[in-house]
Amino acid sequence: MEEKMMQVRNDHPRRSQKRRRKRFPWGDIVATLLVVAICAYVFLSFGEKTPDEETPVRGTSAPTTTQAQDNALADLLAENTQPTASDIDWNLVLVNYENAIPENYEINLVEVAGGEKVDERIYDPLMEMLEAAKEGNWDQLPMVVSGYRTQAKQQKLFQDKVAKYQSEGHSKSEAEELAKQWVAVPGYSEHQAGLAVDINGATYDLYFWLQENSYKYGFIFRYPGSKTEITGVAEEVWHYRYVGVEAATEMYEKGLCLEEYLAERQGEA
Ligand SMILES: [Zn+2]
């Protein structure tokens, strides 16, 4: 467009100089009008094109701005609600013989002394509890002998248990039923959530200490013999589950297992 205008302006002086000598400069006027007309055309062309060019730009840029604002708002809302949601949810996730670990459950794992891994969110309270538990364990640090388990690991544990019962003469279905009392079916173990630990000590007294003190650190004695009917698991003195101090304290004081506690909560809600 600019090139065209330059040509018009360059042509114009030459033509008008030629014609001015002979007669009234109609040519000049016509030429001027032509230039004006061309300029007007050019201007209008630009005028037409500018919105055309802007529209797609606006079309792409405007939603981006809106989306950015939406995202910022979503982030803000998430930031405001996350602590509450996570406080209630992640630590109280129910995994038992009826409730599989949620699909696509995500965990950030961290290694504890001895090589086992746990959800990083329970690392600090776990370490505090184990440190404090020394007083019930001949001043030795209790060991986490099983923390997070992959599906494959749980599968192997279960199959090994089934094989053991089969080797003792039980049928496969009998062996599976017996195994379920001791090892969770793959997908149904709290260990797969990274929120449970099996703890070993130098003395059995450690387990009495844990039963009386674990709630202070947010852990519960998950499978007491008195709750087997509800949990579906025979007593496991070594298995502790993190639920957070608030929930653990209430369960300890009321003598509730996790299933009972959650049912009570649901009733209140
Ligand atoms: Zn366990």
Side-chain angles (χ1 to χ4, degrees), residues 146-147 149 189-191 196-199 223 236 238-240:
S146 186
R149 288 178 201 156
S189 170
E190 280 188 338
H191 284 281
V197 284
D198 291 343
I199 301 170
Y223 305 122
E236 288 189 5
W238 54 85
H239 182 109
Y240 275 78

Side-chain angles (χ1 to χ4, degrees), residues 98-129:
E98 287 179 318
N99 298 276
I101 187 159
E103 241 178 289
N104 305 320
Y105 191 82
E106 281 181 26
I107 328 171
N108 290 321
L109 296 167
V110 61
E111 200 172 300
V112 298
E116 288 295 310
K117 289 172 183 164
V118 295
D119 185 311
E120 64 179 7
R121 293 169 291 192
I122 77 167
Y123 181 84
D124 287 343
L126 177 62
M127 289 304 116
E128 282 171 39
M129 180 174 77

Side-chain angles (χ1 to χ4, degrees), residues 87-253:
D87 281 346
I88 294 166
D89 292 328
W90 72 268
N91 51 317
L92 292 178
V93 67
L94 181 63
V95 182
N96 62 14
Y97 69 99
E98 287 179 318
N99 298 276
I101 187 159
E103 241 178 289
N104 305 320
Y105 191 82
E106 281 181 26
I107 328 171
N108 290 321
L109 296 167
V110 61
E111 200 172 300
V112 298
E116 288 295 310
K117 289 172 183 164
V118 295
D119 185 311
E120 64 179 7
R121 293 169 291 192
I122 77 167
Y123 181 84
D124 287 343
L126 177 62
M127 289 304 116
E128 282 171 39
M129 180 174 77
L130 295 180
E131 189 62 39
K134 280 179 174 180
E135 68 176 14
N137 193 46
W138 295 345
D139 206 30
Q140 289 178 40
L141 192 72
M143 289 291 295
V144 173
V145 293
S146 186
Y148 169 74
R149 288 178 201 156
T150 61
Q151 176 80 1
K153 171 84 177 174
Q154 190 66 29
Q155 184 84 43
K156 190 181 184 311
L157 285 174
F158 187 75
Q159 281 168 345
D160 287 353
K161 204 70 168 175
V162 171
K164 179 183 162 277
Y165 281 115
Q166 278 183 299
S167 74
E168 289 170 6
H170 294 280
S171 71
K172 197 185 178 201
S173 60
E174 276 175 356
E176 280 175 354
E177 283 311 305
L178 288 165
K180 278 180 193 173
Q181 293 176 17
W182 299 101
V183 183
V185 172
Y188 294 80
S189 170
E190 280 188 338
H191 284 281
Q192 291 180 255
L195 300 174
V197 284
D198 291 343
I199 301 170
N200 264 14
T203 161
Y204 195 91
D205 286 349
L206 167 66
Y207 298 126
F208 295 128
W209 186 94
L210 286 171
Q211 284 170 28
E212 290 309 312
N213 297 284
S214 69
Y215 73 92
K216 297 170 191 166
Y217 307 90
F219 286 85
I220 54 166
F221 174 28
R222 181 69 176 90
Y223 305 122
S226 59
K227 304 289 184 184
T228 297
E229 291 273 306
I230 301 163
T231 63
V233 178
E235 178 158 283
E236 288 189 5
V237 290
W238 54 85
H239 182 109
Y240 275 78
R241 155 70 195 268
Y242 184 82
V243 293
V245 173
E246 195 187 324
T249 303
E250 194 175 335
M251 282 183 241
Y252 173 81
E253 286 172 353

Side-chain angles (χ1 to χ4, degrees), residues 1-17:
M1 277 306 170
E2 269 177 57
E3 219 173 292
K4 231 183 203 174
M5 281 182 72
M6 297 265 283
Q7 277 172 1
V8 170
R9 272 174 197 153
N10 287 342
D11 288 346
H12 172 238
R14 264 186 272 142
R15 259 187 235 151
S16 63
Q17 269 178 350

